[in-house]
Amino acid sequence: MSKVRLGIVGLGNIGKFHTGYLLEGKISRCELAAVSDAYAPSLEAFKAKGIPTFDKCEDMIRSGKIDAIVVATPHFLHTTIGIDALQNGLHTMIEKPISAQKADAERLFAVAKEHPKQVFAGMFQMRVEPRYIKLRDLIAKELGKLVRVNWIITDWFRTEAYYASGGWRATWKGEGGGVLLNQCLHQLDMLQWLCGMPSKVRGFCQLGQFHDIEVEDSVTCYLEWGNGATGVFISSTGEAPGTNRFELIGTRGKVVLENNKLSFTRNDADMIEFSKTSKSGFAKPEVWNIDIPFDTVGNAHAVLMQNFVDAILDDTPLLAPGYDGMGSVELANVLLYSSLINQTVDLPMDSKAWETKLNELIANSKHEKKVVQTQTEDFTKSFRK
C-alpha cells in the first residue's frame, strides 16, 4: 500500500472538519475515499465532488473502497462501528470519547486485541500540543513530587440553541453524559496523561443547572492519587466569561498554564526537605520565576491524522493509541457516577456498576428534547487548549 484510502463516518461538526483538511491535501499519502452519514443532505456536497457516499456505515465498511476509517458519530455508535470496522479488516481511528462508557470501551478493546495487525488509534490531539509536552517534561524532571492539581475549565459556555441543535445532544440515551463526556474529554485525557490516574474520586455534578437538559452542565470534583496528591477539577457550560487555569504544585515549585502562558515558580530547595532542616518557623525556599516559551500547532487534529497514516504505512508508533482512550472515559464516567450515588469511588471503577446506572437513567428518562435549526458557525472556535 502506498496510499491510505480513508473513510469518515459521521458528518457533523468534527466529521466535516476532518474532511476539510483531507480534501485540501494536508495529509500526505492519504485520500478521502468515502464518507457516510444517515442524514442524506450531509452527503450532497461530497457526491458533487465525486466521492463515494453511503447512508449506511456498514455498507461503506464492506465496500472495498477504504482501508481505514475515522469514526466521528454520536458517542454510543463509537463502540459498535469501531468493532464492525476492526472485524472487517479496517484500520480504525475513533474520535473522542473512545466509547460512551467504560464497559463499551472494554468490549471495543477486546476486539482490537483480536486484530493486532490493524492500527487502532484515538483522536486525542492535545497530546501533540507543545504546552502539554513541556508541562509533562517539567512534571517528570523539575516539579518534584506532585502535591496538588487544580484545573478550572469553565470557558465552555453553550447556549440553549447549542443543545437544541441535535436530538442526541445532552441526553442519557444519545450522549451518556454532559460536560464531562463531551466538552472535557481532552482535559481529562491530559489530566491522566500528565499526572496518572487518581486512586479515588468524589464528584459533585449538577444536572441541567443552567440549561434545559437532563445531564450534567456544572461539576466540581475532588481527586486523590496514590502518592497522597490531591486535586480539584471544575467545569461548566453555563458560566461566562469562564476560566481556563491549570495549576500543578510539586515539592519543587508551582507551574500554571493560563491565557496561553506557562509560568513556573521554582523553589531552590525541595519544600519538604527545607521544612525539615530550616531553623526558622516562617522561612520559605527562595524562588525563581520562569516563563516557559512554547510554540503552537496549527492543526493538531491533522498531526494525529498524519501519524495514523504513517502508522499504517510505516509502522510509526502511534502518538495516541486507541487503548489510551480508556483513562478519559473512566474519569468522565466515575466522576458523574460518584455524584449520582453520593459516594467516594475507588479506581479502577466497576464498569458494570456504571453501565447499570446509565441504563436506569436511560430507561427512566422523561425529558422531552426540543430540536431546532441553528445557524451555521465556525466549529473550530469551540476548540480549547
Side-chain angles (χ1 to χ4, degrees), residues 96-141:
K96 63 88 176 168
I98 205 74
S99 290
Q101 56 168 317
K102 183 181 178 181
D104 276 348
E106 290 170 340
R107 297 180 184 106
L108 175 62
F109 291 0
V111 173
K113 289 175 181 176
E114 292 172 357
H115 299 83
K117 292 183 179 180
Q118 287 149 238
V119 176
F120 174 49
M123 181 53 79
F124 292 97
Q125 74 278 356
M126 285 173 67
R127 293 186 178 207
V128 303
E129 290 288 350
R131 67 193 68 193
Y132 293 108
I133 294 171
K134 287 200 172 185
L135 189 50
R136 198 174 195 220
D137 195 52
L138 282 171
I139 293 169
K141 299 177 181 178

Side-chain angles (χ1 to χ4, degrees), residues 13-43:
N13 288 330
I14 193 64
K16 288 179 181 176
F17 174 73
H18 289 310
T19 64
Y21 63 78
L22 285 162
L23 288 172
E24 291 171 2
K26 301 295 186 182
I27 308 302
S28 65
R29 302 186 296 169
C30 179
E31 66 173 330
L32 181 62
V35 294
S36 173
D37 197 284
Y39 182 59
S42 296
L43 301 173

Side-chain angles (χ1 to χ4, degrees), residues 161-175:
Y162 166 82
Y163 287 110
S165 67
W168 64 280
R169 285 195 185 280
T171 64
W172 296 122
K173 182 178 180 180
E175 200 162 10

Side-chain angles (χ1 to χ4, degrees), residues 49-71:
K49 296 178 185 296
I51 296 171
T53 63
F54 298 85
D55 59 1
K56 294 182 179 179
C57 178
E58 54 265 35
D59 292 340
M60 182 175 73
I61 288 172
R62 291 161 178 79
S63 67
K65 294 183 179 296
I66 61 174
D67 309 301
I69 190 170
V70 175
V71 181

Side-chain angles (χ1 to χ4, degrees), residues 75 96-97 162 168-170 175 177-186 216:
H75 300 166
K96 63 88 176 168
Y162 166 82
W168 64 280
R169 285 195 185 280
E175 200 162 10
V179 64
L180 287 168
L181 195 63
N182 189 325
Q183 281 78 25
C184 287
L185 246 289
H186 291 299
E216 85 282 0

Side-chain angles (χ1 to χ4, degrees), residues 14 110 127 180 200 218 243 247 263 272 331 349 372:
I14 193 64
R127 293 186 178 207
L180 287 168
K200 64 176 63 175
S218 180
T243 298
E247 180 177 285
S263 302
I272 301 300
L331 283 174
M349 76 177 298
V372 298

